[in-house]
Amino acid sequence: MTTAISVKNIGKQYKIGAAETKFRYNMLRDVIVDTVSAPIRLAKAMIGRSDRRLNQNYVWALKDVSFDLEEGKVLGIVGRNGAGKSTLLKILSRVTEPTTGTVSVRGRVGSLLEVGTGFHPELTGRENIYMNGAILGMRRSEIDSKFDEIVDFSEVTQYIDTPVKRYSSGMYLRLAFAVAAHLEPEILVVDEVLAVGDAEFQKKCLGKMGDVAQQGRTVLFVSHNMSAILRLTQEAIVLNKGQLIMRGPTQEAVDYYLSSGQSQAGERTWEADEVPAASAPFAPISLKIKERGGKIVDTVRSTEPVTVEFEYKLSSPVTGLRVGLYVGTMRGEYVFTSFDTDSPALYEKFDTRSAGRYISRAEIPADMFNESRYTVGVNASSFGVRRYFMDENALAFNVDISGAPGTQWAEPRVGPVRPRLAWKIEKIG
């Protein structure tokens, strides 16, 4: 079978802080100082003392990654935030070049890396469809044949002749996905962008991606939704800190990813280098699972309440902040989601949080969980404005069902929850 993508020992290095000075206009004094200090920097470099030589201002987003993907295969890519998933897709899409290694891609590549990738804001939706098709190397007749289908799928018919700079993020996403999925590139690259859409549109997109996969096209799919990864892909690779640490059948890869890197003691702490700079002013400190007596535990009893504590700090005030918990199964299925300002009273009281250290603490009632191992993810965001931090797989805990309802019966019970319901038995005859 023909190889569609061949990746050989690629690495990508970024300079930390380069973006801050990229567009700065230098004053005359800056030019003079830079000119005078240039010989000193050169001398340091020659004796091995420069910052560049020490790599103090550089970070490897990817390092020594290699794999081949055959035509018609669907490959999932999973990993924690900062693992290098998006950087890998950008290299495969030729958005950026690797620092080391080589990439060989056979066929046209359609990419959906973020909302509106490849769109020109001043052009209308109609013009962007034709421009994207031209970039993919398609003839106008090919684009014409798909145009109505693209517009119908995107549900932006009324605004198709409006400049896309006036679109909402949801409209942008609908049209961007429709273009990427319908213009039939040989290789489709999709990053975690479906989270922007509503639940109905996410379902629609996943259905379309399933159709694309069945048509024999090559697909690379990044997602934090393990159910979607399991449903759409046959194989998956696991990235961790820029390195490929596992490749295998999707079920095995997902199990490996969900079980790796989790705290085994009921506590997760974050080091400074694990927190993206873009999270500022929010910085996570620790996440803890506590039993009723306040002890940090890895295993809790289903018949007793359990407390989840998330400690964090703010370096400056934040308005509209909400901190959330995502509790799920080891298969990536969500059990429930809850935010610390779900209560109207807390929502009003903490509308603006000043700089300082905080603990958001939630008590999960007794008789909630069935016997299993569960994951806890955390999120900090301002609703509809910005996501500060997300760790979808922060830690895990076990549930012991001793004394739980129905344990007098030996057979296991299906489902992630095991509630104690108020039953009544009444004889009526």
Side-chain angles (χ1 to χ4, degrees):
M1 189 175 288
T2 305
T3 299
I5 297 173
S6 180
V7 175
K8 301 296 183 185
N9 306 114
I10 66 168
K12 182 64 179 179
Q13 189 183 57
Y14 289 106
K15 183 176 181 180
I16 299 174
E20 296 178 4
T21 59
K22 186 176 181 181
F23 299 108
R24 193 186 74 180
Y25 292 97
N26 288 333
M27 299 176 66
L28 177 59
R29 74 175 177 210
D30 298 323
V31 176
I32 295 173
V33 170
D34 189 60
T35 302
V36 171
S37 61
I40 300 174
R41 292 199 307 272
L42 179 60
K44 285 184 177 181
M46 293 177 67
I47 63 175
R49 292 176 54 195
S50 71
D51 288 344
R52 180 181 293 270
R53 290 289 297 271
L54 294 173
N55 281 329
Q56 293 177 347
N57 295 325
Y58 289 80
V59 63
W60 286 94
L62 287 175
K63 195 167 187 179
D64 198 27
V65 174
S66 300
F67 66 90
D68 292 330
L69 183 62
E70 298 175 337
E71 284 185 352
K73 296 291 186 180
V74 183
L75 181 70
I77 304 175
V78 298
R80 302 169 71 88
N81 291 334
K85 305 184 297 297
S86 296
T87 300
L88 174 60
L89 294 193
K90 288 177 180 178
I91 291 174
L92 296 177
S93 302
R94 299 188 178 95
V95 172
T96 186
E97 292 292 324
T99 305
T100 61
T102 60
V103 177
S104 176
V105 178
R106 182 185 179 92
R108 298 180 301 197
V109 180
S111 304
L112 189 58
L113 304 182
E114 57 186 46
V115 179
T117 299
F119 275 23
H120 193 294
E122 298 296 336
L123 299 181
T124 66
R126 182 188 303 274
E127 291 166 338
N128 271 294
I129 291 175
Y130 281 94
M131 182 182 72
N132 272 259
I135 291 172
L136 287 173
M138 301 184 69
R139 296 187 299 273
R140 187 179 181 89
S141 59
E142 293 180 85
I143 305 172
D144 287 338
S145 66
K146 290 288 183 179
F147 184 83
D148 290 340
E149 190 177 349
I150 291 171
V151 176
D152 289 343
F153 185 93
S154 65
E155 301 175 7
V156 296
T157 306
Q158 184 178 354
Y159 307 99
I160 197 62
D161 290 310
T162 300
V164 296
K165 67 181 181 180
R166 297 195 176 99
Y167 285 16
S168 68
S169 60
M171 293 166 62
Y172 232 113
L173 173 64
R174 290 173 187 271
L175 187 59
F177 184 89
V179 169
H182 287 81
L183 288 184
E184 299 188 353
E186 284 84 7
I187 300 170
L188 180 61
V189 176
V190 183
D191 201 349
E192 180 71 278
V193 296
L194 302 185
V196 179
D198 55 46
E200 183 180 351
F201 184 64
Q202 289 181 38
K203 184 177 179 180
K204 188 176 180 179
C205 289
L206 291 173
K208 181 60 182 177
M209 285 189 61
D211 295 340
V212 169
Q214 291 174 6
Q215 292 168 8
R217 283 187 270 165
T218 307
V219 180
L220 290 97
F221 180 44
V222 166
S223 180
H224 289 139
N225 184 333
M226 294 301 107
S227 295
I229 291 285
L230 289 165
R231 170 183 163 189
L232 295 174
T233 68
Q234 299 102 18
E235 266 194 310
I237 62 176
V238 183
L239 295 178
N240 182 48
K241 296 183 178 179
Q243 295 184 309
L244 196 160
I245 58 173
M246 195 266 188
R247 178 177 181 175
T250 301
Q251 186 66 72
E252 294 180 16
V254 167
D255 287 346
Y256 180 88
Y257 163 62
L258 291 175
S259 61
S260 64
Q262 293 173 336
S263 167
Q264 300 300 312
E267 181 176 11
R268 166 83 159 96
T269 58
W270 285 269
E271 301 296 333
D273 61 356
E274 295 180 286
V275 182
S279 296
F282 183 93
I285 297 175
S286 66
L287 180 67
K288 301 174 183 177
I289 301 292
K290 292 186 175 182
E291 49 96 64
R292 184 163 53 182
K295 180 182 177 182
I296 298 174
V297 293
D298 177 59
T299 299
V300 300
R301 296 190 61 186
S302 68
T303 56
E304 297 181 357
V306 57
T307 299
V308 182
E309 286 188 358
F310 186 27
E311 184 177 354
Y312 51 94
K313 62 182 177 181
L314 302 177
S315 58
S316 61
V318 176
T319 298
L321 179 67
R322 60 175 191 166
V323 170
L325 299 177
Y326 297 82
V327 177
T329 67
M330 293 300 290
R331 298 298 185 187
E333 302 157 329
Y334 288 117
V335 177
F336 68 83
T337 302
S338 183
F339 290 89
D340 63 355
T341 53
D342 282 347
S343 160
L346 290 176
Y347 175 78
E348 288 190 18
K349 182 177 180 180
F350 292 97
D351 176 56
T352 297
R353 303 188 202 190
S354 59
R357 292 173 71 110
Y358 291 85
I359 292 180
S360 288
R361 184 181 293 109
E363 182 179 280
I364 302 173
D367 297 316
M368 171 71 77
F369 296 108
N370 202 358
E371 182 178 33
S372 188
R373 187 164 176 83
Y374 297 85
T375 63
V376 181
V378 289
N379 167 282
S381 62
S382 293
F383 179 70
V385 177
R386 178 184 170 190
R387 173 183 288 176
Y388 296 97
F389 179 78
M390 177 74 177
D391 188 336
E392 74 286 351
N393 192 31
L395 58 75
F397 64 95
N398 297 306
V399 173
D400 175 11
I401 59 167
S402 300
T407 47
Q408 67 270 28
W409 308 111
E411 81 274 13
R413 294 195 174 180
V414 297
V417 296
R418 193 183 183 110
R420 187 185 300 269
L421 303 181
W423 284 88
K424 291 184 179 180
I425 300 175
E426 180 182 0
K427 183 181 180 182
I428 58 174

